[in-house]
């Protein structure tokens, strides 16, 4: 599989120097607007592959869009915090308290989204395995048979 330059994440590093502080901000740009890579050699490689549930892909995509939105907002907030810090204006420094709280809230939101995504994805994988094992008669009593 060959990746184009547009398919690779951009990484931006910004260094801000003040009298006694150096702040480094690293940002990785979203992949949500990139074209999906071609399936990597299997029926389960993507929604077009035939072996994958479109709902799972939609769940993943929606979660990643939410995460990217929160990260984009944090990037803007961090930039504002840096500007306020560099200005050394007391009112601007006081505003940083609320901005940093919002950043922390967004980080918590991202953590929650990833946690929910992990649980949901694990549940789908467990269901698929249980269905496959049930179809082959190897369910180990976990699923009731549906017509025997």
């Amino acid at each position: 599989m060959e990746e184009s330059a547009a398919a690779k994440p951009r990484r931006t590093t910004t260094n801000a120097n003040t009298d006694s502080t150096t702040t480094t901000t690293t940002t990785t740009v979203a992949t949500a607007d990139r074209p999906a890579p071609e399936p990597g050699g299997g029926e389960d490689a993507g929604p077009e592959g035939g072996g994958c549930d479109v709902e799972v892909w939609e769940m993943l995509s929606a979660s990643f869009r939410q995460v990217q939105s929160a990260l984009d907002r944090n990037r803007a907030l961090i930039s504002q915090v840096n500007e306020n810090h560099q200005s050394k204006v007391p009112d601007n420094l006081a505003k940083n308290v609320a901005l940093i709280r919002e950043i922390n809230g967004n980080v918590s939101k991202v953590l929650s989204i990833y946690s929910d995504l992990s649980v949901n994805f694990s549940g789908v994988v467990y269901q698929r395995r249980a269905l496959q094992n049930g179809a082959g008669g190897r369910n180990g009593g976990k699923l009731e048979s549906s017509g025997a």
Side-chain angles (χ1 to χ4, degrees), residues 24-145:
T24 301
T25 305
T26 303
T27 305
T28 302
V29 178
T31 60
D33 57 338
R34 287 193 250 155
E38 293 181 25
E43 287 186 8
D44 295 330
E48 297 84 18
C52 184
D53 191 345
V54 174
E55 280 185 61
V56 174
W57 283 100
E58 289 173 356
M59 174 184 64
L60 290 169
S61 295
S63 295
F64 291 141
R65 278 191 299 272
Q66 288 177 327
V67 165
Q68 192 59 51
S69 175
L71 294 177
D72 289 343
R73 175 69 179 146
N74 272 7
R75 178 176 44 230
L77 291 169
I78 290 168
S79 177
Q80 185 63 50
V81 166
N82 285 335
E83 288 174 19
N84 289 348
H85 181 73
Q86 289 174 358
S87 76
K88 297 184 181 178
V89 174
D91 286 342
N92 288 346
L93 294 174
K95 290 176 186 177
N96 279 354
V97 174
L99 295 174
I100 291 170
R101 284 189 179 135
E102 186 176 347
I103 291 167
N104 287 338
N106 289 342
V107 169
S108 295
K109 187 185 302 183
V110 167
L111 177 66
S112 175
I113 292 167
Y114 277 132
S115 177
D116 292 346
L117 181 61
S118 175
V119 168
N120 293 339
F121 190 75
S122 295
V124 168
V125 169
Y126 176 78
Q127 283 180 333
R128 293 280 169 90
R129 287 184 179 164
L131 288 173
Q132 287 175 350
N133 289 340
R138 301 172 305 214
N139 64 3
K142 292 182 182 174
L143 291 178
E144 296 179 21
S145 65

Side-chain angles (χ1 to χ4, degrees), residues 11-17 21-27 78 82 86:
R11 196 169 179 93
T12 306
T13 302
T14 306
N15 290 322
N17 293 319
T21 308
T22 300
T23 304
T24 301
T25 305
T26 303
T27 305
I78 290 168
N82 285 335
Q86 289 174 358

